[in-house]
Every structure is written in structure tokens, then in C-alpha cells.
Amino acid sequence: MNNFDNVRFGHYAKFDLTINRSFYRNLALVLLATIVGLVLISFMMRWLTFSIGAEQTTYNDLTMTAIFTVSIIIIAFQVMAGCTLHPLRNKQGRITHLTLPATNLEKYLWHLTVCLGGCLAVTVVSVAVADLLNLALSAIVFKSTDGVQSLFASVFYSIPDKMTAQFTFMDYSMSGQPVDPTYQPEPDSILHNIITSSWVYALCMALFEMGIYAVGNALKYKFNIIITYVAMQFVGFIFAICIIIGSIIFSQHADSIDPETARNFIEHLHIYFYILAALSAAGGIALFVWAYKLYTKAQLTNSWNK
């Protein structure tokens, strides 16, 4: 049965949080400790830079710290997508799970909520705590917080601006013009459209990758994250080889490409990014639906999960 009832959903959520609270708490603490630890290491490096008399803009910069933090967050979401069916990791857990008074839809939606929604909440709190800690240490050691970047703003707002700056640098370099650090692409310009569409594609691709880990968890409850990662690396290796071969073939015929055709392709590049984003989003949703279908057919024991 796939009907949904809020009261039943709430009762199941309360039961799951009671039984598996240590598992969720430990994952949250690991994510918090990782982000805070990264910021502490970053602060020590900045303190070293400060002690040798470097410019203030150098030891106040958190760009690299923010980039590493974003990488940690991406990994955390992939891991949590691979933990959506954690209660089914052993036979006794599957027996208990099947006897609970809740529908498959309610159980699966709760697992997605607590894993992915919980990961988002812990991420926001962890970055905020690390940011406040960094500001407090800066005030104590540097005797000022003037010019110190906000990690929270850098992670959730400024990373796209950094990428925009990189695109702008490439744009100026290819045109032979001097780089203007204050330049911002005009709305609806070619560069602006490419940047916007590429970020939409990146978000949809993240959904697709989480769907892959969710399917991996639905296929195998133990060691699924490791197996899924190895499989993705193998597929990525094959895909990279295809790109290299394609690049070699393209370079051999680059001179024969009509400049007007190339210009037209660049002008419409954002459309291709949006198409890829739509395909990635549809693929991600399909993968989560597939994971749900596998979940509803979960057996007490099979060749993959004994």
C-alpha cells in the first residue's frame, strides 16, 4: 500500500529516531567535526601567514577553505544518499522493518527526509558554527575581524561569484584584453547565460549522483557506498577515455569547422547546458523512483543481502 497518512508517518519517524538515534547522531557529529576541523586547520595556516607579516588580504582569505568545505558537503550528501536504507542492513532489522505499521511510501519518504533533509540541516549548522568559531579566533589572534571573509557566505553565496571570476578571466584571456577584476557579465549576455546554465546543470547533476547512491543502497544494504563509488570511478574512467579520443578527433578536424558554426554553438551553449540539466534531473528522479521500487520488493534474505 502506498497511501500516505501524516499521523502514521509521524509515529514511524519517532520510532526510527528512537531506534537509530546513535547512528544519525554519529554521522552528524562526524560532519560537524570535519567542517570545524577544516576551519581550524585553515585558521592555523592563516595564523602562520599573519605571523610572518603578510598582507591582511592574504590571511583573511577563506576561498580555498570554502572550496574544500563545498567538496565535503557534496561527499556528505552522497554518503547520506547511500544510507537511506540503513535500517535494512541486517536480517533482524529487515524483519522489524517489515512488521512496522506504516506503508512503504511513508517509510521511504521518511528515510529520504532524515538522511538528505537532515544532512542539509547539519551542513548549514556546521558551517555556521565553524564560521562563528573562525570569527572568534580571528578577533582573539588578529585583534580584529575586519576583512575576514564569512565562511557561511562564501560556501552558500560567493562560490558562484568565484567561478564567475574564473569564467571572466578566461573570457578576457581569449579576447586578448587585460583582465578587469571588477567586470561583471551583463544580464542575458553569452557569458552570463553560460554561467547560470552551468550552475543549474551542476545542481541537477548532484541530484543524479545522489540517485545513483540511493539505488546502490537499495541493491545492497552493506558496503554499498564503497561498491557504488568504485563502479562510478570505473564508468568515469571509461567516459574520460571517450572524451580524450573525441578531443583528438575534434582537434584533427578543427580547421575545417566553419567559424560561424562555432560562434553559433557558443551562443547557444547555455541551451545545451539546460538540456543536460533537465536530463540529469529526470535521471535523478527516475533513480530515486527505481530505488523506491527496489525497496518495496526488499526480501528478508537474498544473494546480495544475507
PDB file of all heavy atoms in Angstrom, residues 96-127:
ATOM      1  N   THR A  96      12.062  -6.526  11.532  1.00  0.00           N
ATOM      2  CA  THR A  96      11.407  -5.472  12.325  1.00  0.00           C
ATOM      3  C   THR A  96      10.793  -4.423  11.422  1.00  0.00           C
ATOM      4  O   THR A  96       9.659  -3.962  11.641  1.00  0.00           O
ATOM      5  CB  THR A  96      12.429  -4.815  13.269  1.00  0.00           C
ATOM      6  OG1 THR A  96      13.002  -5.807  14.114  1.00  0.00           O
ATOM      7  CG2 THR A  96      11.772  -3.732  14.112  1.00  0.00           C
ATOM      8  N   HIS A  97      11.519  -4.054  10.378  1.00  0.00           N
ATOM      9  CA  HIS A  97      11.079  -3.004   9.467  1.00  0.00           C
ATOM     10  C   HIS A  97       9.785  -3.399   8.759  1.00  0.00           C
ATOM     11  O   HIS A  97       8.881  -2.581   8.585  1.00  0.00           O
ATOM     12  CB  HIS A  97      12.181  -2.723   8.440  1.00  0.00           C
ATOM     13  CG  HIS A  97      11.979  -1.482   7.659  1.00  0.00           C
ATOM     14  ND1 HIS A  97      12.214  -0.221   8.166  1.00  0.00           N
ATOM     15  CD2 HIS A  97      11.548  -1.293   6.376  1.00  0.00           C
ATOM     16  CE1 HIS A  97      11.955   0.678   7.242  1.00  0.00           C
ATOM     17  NE2 HIS A  97      11.543   0.053   6.150  1.00  0.00           N
ATOM     18  N   LEU A  98       9.686  -4.657   8.323  1.00  0.00           N
ATOM     19  CA  LEU A  98       8.520  -5.111   7.580  1.00  0.00           C
ATOM     20  C   LEU A  98       7.273  -5.226   8.451  1.00  0.00           C
ATOM     21  O   LEU A  98       6.149  -5.202   7.940  1.00  0.00           O
ATOM     22  CB  LEU A  98       8.820  -6.463   6.920  1.00  0.00           C
ATOM     23  CG  LEU A  98       9.830  -6.438   5.764  1.00  0.00           C
ATOM     24  CD1 LEU A  98      10.192  -7.854   5.351  1.00  0.00           C
ATOM     25  CD2 LEU A  98       9.278  -5.666   4.585  1.00  0.00           C
ATOM     26  N   THR A  99       7.459  -5.344   9.750  1.00  0.00           N
ATOM     27  CA  THR A  99       6.312  -5.512  10.645  1.00  0.00           C
ATOM     28  C   THR A  99       5.793  -4.193  11.211  1.00  0.00           C
ATOM     29  O   THR A  99       4.792  -4.189  11.913  1.00  0.00           O
ATOM     30  CB  THR A  99       6.692  -6.428  11.815  1.00  0.00           C
ATOM     31  OG1 THR A  99       7.807  -5.867  12.523  1.00  0.00           O
ATOM     32  CG2 THR A  99       7.065  -7.822  11.315  1.00  0.00           C
ATOM     33  N   LEU A 100       6.456  -3.085  10.909  1.00  0.00           N
ATOM     34  CA  LEU A 100       6.023  -1.800  11.460  1.00  0.00           C
ATOM     35  C   LEU A 100       4.750  -1.314  10.768  1.00  0.00           C
ATOM     36  O   LEU A 100       4.597  -1.474   9.550  1.00  0.00           O
ATOM     37  CB  LEU A 100       7.137  -0.763  11.287  1.00  0.00           C
ATOM     38  CG  LEU A 100       8.404  -1.013  12.096  1.00  0.00           C
ATOM     39  CD1 LEU A 100       9.479  -0.005  11.728  1.00  0.00           C
ATOM     40  CD2 LEU A 100       8.100  -0.948  13.586  1.00  0.00           C
ATOM     41  N   PRO A 101       3.824  -0.710  11.529  1.00  0.00           N
ATOM     42  CA  PRO A 101       2.542  -0.249  10.964  1.00  0.00           C
ATOM     43  C   PRO A 101       2.676   1.064  10.192  1.00  0.00           C
ATOM     44  O   PRO A 101       2.253   2.129  10.634  1.00  0.00           O
ATOM     45  CB  PRO A 101       1.673  -0.075  12.217  1.00  0.00           C
ATOM     46  CG  PRO A 101       2.648   0.274  13.298  1.00  0.00           C
ATOM     47  CD  PRO A 101       3.895  -0.509  12.992  1.00  0.00           C
ATOM     48  N   ALA A 102       3.300   0.990   9.029  1.00  0.00           N
ATOM     49  CA  ALA A 102       3.433   2.149   8.145  1.00  0.00           C
ATOM     50  C   ALA A 102       3.598   1.641   6.722  1.00  0.00           C
ATOM     51  O   ALA A 102       4.082   0.527   6.497  1.00  0.00           O
ATOM     52  CB  ALA A 102       4.633   3.012   8.547  1.00  0.00           C
ATOM     53  N   THR A 103       3.166   2.419   5.755  1.00  0.00           N
ATOM     54  CA  THR A 103       3.269   1.986   4.360  1.00  0.00           C
ATOM     55  C   THR A 103       4.703   2.147   3.865  1.00  0.00           C
ATOM     56  O   THR A 103       5.505   2.880   4.454  1.00  0.00           O
ATOM     57  CB  THR A 103       2.332   2.810   3.464  1.00  0.00           C
ATOM     58  OG1 THR A 103       2.758   4.174   3.480  1.00  0.00           O
ATOM     59  CG2 THR A 103       0.899   2.724   3.959  1.00  0.00           C
ATOM     60  N   ASN A 104       5.001   1.486   2.761  1.00  0.00           N
ATOM     61  CA  ASN A 104       6.327   1.605   2.157  1.00  0.00           C
ATOM     62  C   ASN A 104       6.638   3.046   1.783  1.00  0.00           C
ATOM     63  O   ASN A 104       7.778   3.504   1.937  1.00  0.00           O
ATOM     64  CB  ASN A 104       6.421   0.712   0.915  1.00  0.00           C
ATOM     65  CG  ASN A 104       6.491  -0.759   1.254  1.00  0.00           C
ATOM     66  OD1 ASN A 104       7.044  -1.144   2.279  1.00  0.00           O
ATOM     67  ND2 ASN A 104       5.911  -1.586   0.403  1.00  0.00           N
ATOM     68  N   LEU A 105       5.639   3.753   1.273  1.00  0.00           N
ATOM     69  CA  LEU A 105       5.840   5.146   0.874  1.00  0.00           C
ATOM     70  C   LEU A 105       6.207   6.007   2.074  1.00  0.00           C
ATOM     71  O   LEU A 105       7.130   6.823   2.009  1.00  0.00           O
ATOM     72  CB  LEU A 105       4.588   5.694   0.198  1.00  0.00           C
ATOM     73  CG  LEU A 105       4.664   7.144  -0.278  1.00  0.00           C
ATOM     74  CD1 LEU A 105       5.751   7.315  -1.329  1.00  0.00           C
ATOM     75  CD2 LEU A 105       3.307   7.601  -0.824  1.00  0.00           C
ATOM     76  N   GLU A 106       5.502   5.822   3.177  1.00  0.00           N
ATOM     77  CA  GLU A 106       5.791   6.599   4.382  1.00  0.00           C
ATOM     78  C   GLU A 106       7.186   6.311   4.911  1.00  0.00           C
ATOM     79  O   GLU A 106       7.924   7.227   5.288  1.00  0.00           O
ATOM     80  CB  GLU A 106       4.732   6.285   5.452  1.00  0.00           C
ATOM     81  CG  GLU A 106       3.344   6.810   5.102  1.00  0.00           C
ATOM     82  CD  GLU A 106       2.251   6.133   5.897  1.00  0.00           C
ATOM     83  OE1 GLU A 106       2.551   5.176   6.653  1.00  0.00           O
ATOM     84  OE2 GLU A 106       1.095   6.542   5.759  1.00  0.00           O
ATOM     85  N   LYS A 107       7.560   5.043   4.918  1.00  0.00           N
ATOM     86  CA  LYS A 107       8.891   4.681   5.403  1.00  0.00           C
ATOM     87  C   LYS A 107       9.984   5.263   4.515  1.00  0.00           C
ATOM     88  O   LYS A 107      10.964   5.837   5.000  1.00  0.00           O
ATOM     89  CB  LYS A 107       9.019   3.155   5.461  1.00  0.00           C
ATOM     90  CG  LYS A 107       8.096   2.474   6.446  1.00  0.00           C
ATOM     91  CD  LYS A 107       8.204   0.958   6.311  1.00  0.00           C
ATOM     92  CE  LYS A 107       7.192   0.239   7.187  1.00  0.00           C
ATOM     93  NZ  LYS A 107       7.230  -1.227   7.002  1.00  0.00           N
ATOM     94  N   TYR A 108       9.805   5.114   3.196  1.00  0.00           N
ATOM     95  CA  TYR A 108      10.857   5.570   2.280  1.00  0.00           C
ATOM     96  C   TYR A 108      10.971   7.094   2.291  1.00  0.00           C
ATOM     97  O   TYR A 108      12.093   7.626   2.283  1.00  0.00           O
ATOM     98  CB  TYR A 108      10.550   5.081   0.864  1.00  0.00           C
ATOM     99  CG  TYR A 108      11.696   5.307  -0.095  1.00  0.00           C
ATOM    100  CD1 TYR A 108      12.868   4.568   0.022  1.00  0.00           C
ATOM    101  CD2 TYR A 108      11.617   6.256  -1.103  1.00  0.00           C
ATOM    102  CE1 TYR A 108      13.933   4.756  -0.845  1.00  0.00           C
ATOM    103  CE2 TYR A 108      12.681   6.454  -1.974  1.00  0.00           C
ATOM    104  CZ  TYR A 108      13.822   5.712  -1.844  1.00  0.00           C
ATOM    105  OH  TYR A 108      14.886   5.919  -2.697  1.00  0.00           O
ATOM    106  N   LEU A 109       9.840   7.794   2.319  1.00  0.00           N
ATOM    107  CA  LEU A 109       9.895   9.259   2.376  1.00  0.00           C
ATOM    108  C   LEU A 109      10.563   9.730   3.662  1.00  0.00           C
ATOM    109  O   LEU A 109      11.279  10.735   3.669  1.00  0.00           O
ATOM    110  CB  LEU A 109       8.483   9.849   2.256  1.00  0.00           C
ATOM    111  CG  LEU A 109       7.840   9.775   0.872  1.00  0.00           C
ATOM    112  CD1 LEU A 109       6.432  10.377   0.902  1.00  0.00           C
ATOM    113  CD2 LEU A 109       8.694  10.513  -0.162  1.00  0.00           C
ATOM    114  N   TRP A 110      10.324   9.015   4.753  1.00  0.00           N
ATOM    115  CA  TRP A 110      10.985   9.394   6.000  1.00  0.00           C
ATOM    116  C   TRP A 110      12.494   9.188   5.892  1.00  0.00           C
ATOM    117  O   TRP A 110      13.275  10.031   6.339  1.00  0.00           O
ATOM    118  CB  TRP A 110      10.448   8.606   7.187  1.00  0.00           C
ATOM    119  CG  TRP A 110      11.339   8.741   8.382  1.00  0.00           C
ATOM    120  CD1 TRP A 110      12.110   7.776   8.959  1.00  0.00           C
ATOM    121  CD2 TRP A 110      11.594   9.939   9.109  1.00  0.00           C
ATOM    122  NE1 TRP A 110      12.828   8.287  10.015  1.00  0.00           N
ATOM    123  CE2 TRP A 110      12.536   9.618  10.123  1.00  0.00           C
ATOM    124  CE3 TRP A 110      11.124  11.246   9.019  1.00  0.00           C
ATOM    125  CZ2 TRP A 110      13.005  10.553  11.034  1.00  0.00           C
ATOM    126  CZ3 TRP A 110      11.598  12.191   9.915  1.00  0.00           C
ATOM    127  CH2 TRP A 110      12.528  11.851  10.908  1.00  0.00           C
ATOM    128  N   HIS A 111      12.909   8.073   5.287  1.00  0.00           N
ATOM    129  CA  HIS A 111      14.342   7.824   5.139  1.00  0.00           C
ATOM    130  C   HIS A 111      14.995   8.918   4.301  1.00  0.00           C
ATOM    131  O   HIS A 111      16.100   9.390   4.626  1.00  0.00           O
ATOM    132  CB  HIS A 111      14.575   6.457   4.478  1.00  0.00           C
ATOM    133  CG  HIS A 111      14.163   5.306   5.310  1.00  0.00           C
ATOM    134  ND1 HIS A 111      14.396   5.246   6.658  1.00  0.00           N
ATOM    135  CD2 HIS A 111      13.514   4.148   4.996  1.00  0.00           C
ATOM    136  CE1 HIS A 111      13.928   4.119   7.150  1.00  0.00           C
ATOM    137  NE2 HIS A 111      13.376   3.433   6.152  1.00  0.00           N
ATOM    138  N   LEU A 112      14.345   9.355   3.230  1.00  0.00           N
ATOM    139  CA  LEU A 112      14.887  10.442   2.421  1.00  0.00           C
ATOM    140  C   LEU A 112      14.926  11.744   3.220  1.00  0.00           C
ATOM    141  O   LEU A 112      15.888  12.514   3.140  1.00  0.00           O
ATOM    142  CB  LEU A 112      14.045  10.639   1.154  1.00  0.00           C
ATOM    143  CG  LEU A 112      14.104   9.538   0.098  1.00  0.00           C
ATOM    144  CD1 LEU A 112      13.244   9.931  -1.100  1.00  0.00           C
ATOM    145  CD2 LEU A 112      15.531   9.279  -0.349  1.00  0.00           C
ATOM    146  N   THR A 113      13.873  11.981   3.994  1.00  0.00           N
ATOM    147  CA  THR A 113      13.796  13.220   4.777  1.00  0.00           C
ATOM    148  C   THR A 113      14.896  13.283   5.822  1.00  0.00           C
ATOM    149  O   THR A 113      15.609  14.284   5.946  1.00  0.00           O
ATOM    150  CB  THR A 113      12.426  13.338   5.459  1.00  0.00           C
ATOM    151  OG1 THR A 113      11.398  13.353   4.465  1.00  0.00           O
ATOM    152  CG2 THR A 113      12.343  14.622   6.285  1.00  0.00           C
ATOM    153  N   VAL A 114      15.057  12.205   6.587  1.00  0.00           N
ATOM    154  CA  VAL A 114      16.027  12.232   7.682  1.00  0.00           C
ATOM    155  C   VAL A 114      17.458  12.217   7.158  1.00  0.00           C
ATOM    156  O   VAL A 114      18.352  12.834   7.762  1.00  0.00           O
ATOM    157  CB  VAL A 114      15.784  11.059   8.662  1.00  0.00           C
ATOM    158  CG1 VAL A 114      16.177   9.726   8.045  1.00  0.00           C
ATOM    159  CG2 VAL A 114      16.526  11.278   9.969  1.00  0.00           C
ATOM    160  N   CYS A 115      17.684  11.536   6.030  1.00  0.00           N
ATOM    161  CA  CYS A 115      19.051  11.450   5.506  1.00  0.00           C
ATOM    162  C   CYS A 115      19.434  12.704   4.721  1.00  0.00           C
ATOM    163  O   CYS A 115      20.422  13.363   5.041  1.00  0.00           O
ATOM    164  CB  CYS A 115      19.202  10.203   4.632  1.00  0.00           C
ATOM    165  SG  CYS A 115      19.217   8.658   5.566  1.00  0.00           S
ATOM    166  N   LEU A 116      18.662  13.049   3.700  1.00  0.00           N
ATOM    167  CA  LEU A 116      19.018  14.191   2.864  1.00  0.00           C
ATOM    168  C   LEU A 116      18.620  15.513   3.510  1.00  0.00           C
ATOM    169  O   LEU A 116      19.406  16.469   3.524  1.00  0.00           O
ATOM    170  CB  LEU A 116      18.359  14.042   1.486  1.00  0.00           C
ATOM    171  CG  LEU A 116      18.749  12.779   0.717  1.00  0.00           C
ATOM    172  CD1 LEU A 116      18.107  12.768  -0.667  1.00  0.00           C
ATOM    173  CD2 LEU A 116      20.261  12.643   0.611  1.00  0.00           C
ATOM    174  N   GLY A 117      17.398  15.589   4.051  1.00  0.00           N
ATOM    175  CA  GLY A 117      16.992  16.808   4.746  1.00  0.00           C
ATOM    176  C   GLY A 117      17.823  17.047   5.992  1.00  0.00           C
ATOM    177  O   GLY A 117      18.221  18.180   6.287  1.00  0.00           O
ATOM    178  N   GLY A 118      18.093  15.962   6.736  1.00  0.00           N
ATOM    179  CA  GLY A 118      18.931  16.088   7.924  1.00  0.00           C
ATOM    180  C   GLY A 118      20.345  16.500   7.573  1.00  0.00           C
ATOM    181  O   GLY A 118      20.968  17.293   8.285  1.00  0.00           O
ATOM    182  N   CYS A 119      20.871  15.969   6.467  1.00  0.00           N
ATOM    183  CA  CYS A 119      22.218  16.339   6.032  1.00  0.00           C
ATOM    184  C   CYS A 119      22.281  17.824   5.693  1.00  0.00           C
ATOM    185  O   CYS A 119      23.257  18.504   6.037  1.00  0.00           O
ATOM    186  CB  CYS A 119      22.621  15.509   4.823  1.00  0.00           C
ATOM    187  SG  CYS A 119      24.307  15.795   4.256  1.00  0.00           S
ATOM    188  N   LEU A 120      21.243  18.334   5.047  1.00  0.00           N
ATOM    189  CA  LEU A 120      21.204  19.761   4.718  1.00  0.00           C
ATOM    190  C   LEU A 120      21.193  20.607   5.990  1.00  0.00           C
ATOM    191  O   LEU A 120      21.931  21.598   6.098  1.00  0.00           O
ATOM    192  CB  LEU A 120      19.971  20.065   3.875  1.00  0.00           C
ATOM    193  CG  LEU A 120      19.746  21.535   3.508  1.00  0.00           C
ATOM    194  CD1 LEU A 120      20.910  22.084   2.698  1.00  0.00           C
ATOM    195  CD2 LEU A 120      18.426  21.698   2.748  1.00  0.00           C
ATOM    196  N   ALA A 121      20.370  20.217   6.964  1.00  0.00           N
ATOM    197  CA  ALA A 121      20.283  20.972   8.217  1.00  0.00           C
ATOM    198  C   ALA A 121      21.608  20.951   8.969  1.00  0.00           C
ATOM    199  O   ALA A 121      22.086  21.996   9.450  1.00  0.00           O
ATOM    200  CB  ALA A 121      19.159  20.406   9.091  1.00  0.00           C
ATOM    201  N   VAL A 122      22.226  19.769   9.067  1.00  0.00           N
ATOM    202  CA  VAL A 122      23.507  19.649   9.774  1.00  0.00           C
ATOM    203  C   VAL A 122      24.586  20.444   9.048  1.00  0.00           C
ATOM    204  O   VAL A 122      25.452  21.065   9.676  1.00  0.00           O
ATOM    205  CB  VAL A 122      23.917  18.175   9.916  1.00  0.00           C
ATOM    206  CG1 VAL A 122      25.322  18.051  10.490  1.00  0.00           C
ATOM    207  CG2 VAL A 122      22.932  17.435  10.801  1.00  0.00           C
ATOM    208  N   THR A 123      24.542  20.441   7.714  1.00  0.00           N
ATOM    209  CA  THR A 123      25.515  21.200   6.929  1.00  0.00           C
ATOM    210  C   THR A 123      25.428  22.684   7.238  1.00  0.00           C
ATOM    211  O   THR A 123      26.446  23.350   7.486  1.00  0.00           O
ATOM    212  CB  THR A 123      25.277  20.968   5.422  1.00  0.00           C
ATOM    213  OG1 THR A 123      25.563  19.611   5.110  1.00  0.00           O
ATOM    214  CG2 THR A 123      26.160  21.871   4.597  1.00  0.00           C
ATOM    215  N   VAL A 124      24.213  23.234   7.220  1.00  0.00           N
ATOM    216  CA  VAL A 124      24.027  24.659   7.499  1.00  0.00           C
ATOM    217  C   VAL A 124      24.514  24.999   8.907  1.00  0.00           C
ATOM    218  O   VAL A 124      25.230  25.981   9.118  1.00  0.00           O
ATOM    219  CB  VAL A 124      22.539  25.048   7.330  1.00  0.00           C
ATOM    220  CG1 VAL A 124      22.304  26.483   7.790  1.00  0.00           C
ATOM    221  CG2 VAL A 124      22.110  24.894   5.869  1.00  0.00           C
ATOM    222  N   VAL A 125      24.134  24.164   9.887  1.00  0.00           N
ATOM    223  CA  VAL A 125      24.545  24.413  11.274  1.00  0.00           C
ATOM    224  C   VAL A 125      26.063  24.297  11.407  1.00  0.00           C
ATOM    225  O   VAL A 125      26.706  25.131  12.069  1.00  0.00           O
ATOM    226  CB  VAL A 125      23.841  23.424  12.223  1.00  0.00           C
ATOM    227  CG1 VAL A 125      24.414  23.534  13.634  1.00  0.00           C
ATOM    228  CG2 VAL A 125      22.344  23.690  12.253  1.00  0.00           C
ATOM    229  N   SER A 126      26.661  23.298  10.783  1.00  0.00           N
ATOM    230  CA  SER A 126      28.108  23.073  10.899  1.00  0.00           C
ATOM    231  C   SER A 126      28.895  24.240  10.317  1.00  0.00           C
ATOM    232  O   SER A 126      29.871  24.713  10.923  1.00  0.00           O
ATOM    233  CB  SER A 126      28.500  21.777  10.188  1.00  0.00           C
ATOM    234  OG  SER A 126      27.862  20.665  10.771  1.00  0.00           O
ATOM    235  N   VAL A 127      28.481  24.705   9.140  1.00  0.00           N
ATOM    236  CA  VAL A 127      29.175  25.835   8.513  1.00  0.00           C
ATOM    237  C   VAL A 127      29.004  27.092   9.357  1.00  0.00           C
ATOM    238  O   VAL A 127      29.944  27.878   9.528  1.00  0.00           O
ATOM    239  CB  VAL A 127      28.666  26.061   7.075  1.00  0.00           C
ATOM    240  CG1 VAL A 127      29.283  27.318   6.474  1.00  0.00           C
ATOM    241  CG2 VAL A 127      28.987  24.859   6.202  1.00  0.00           C
TER     242      VAL A 127
END
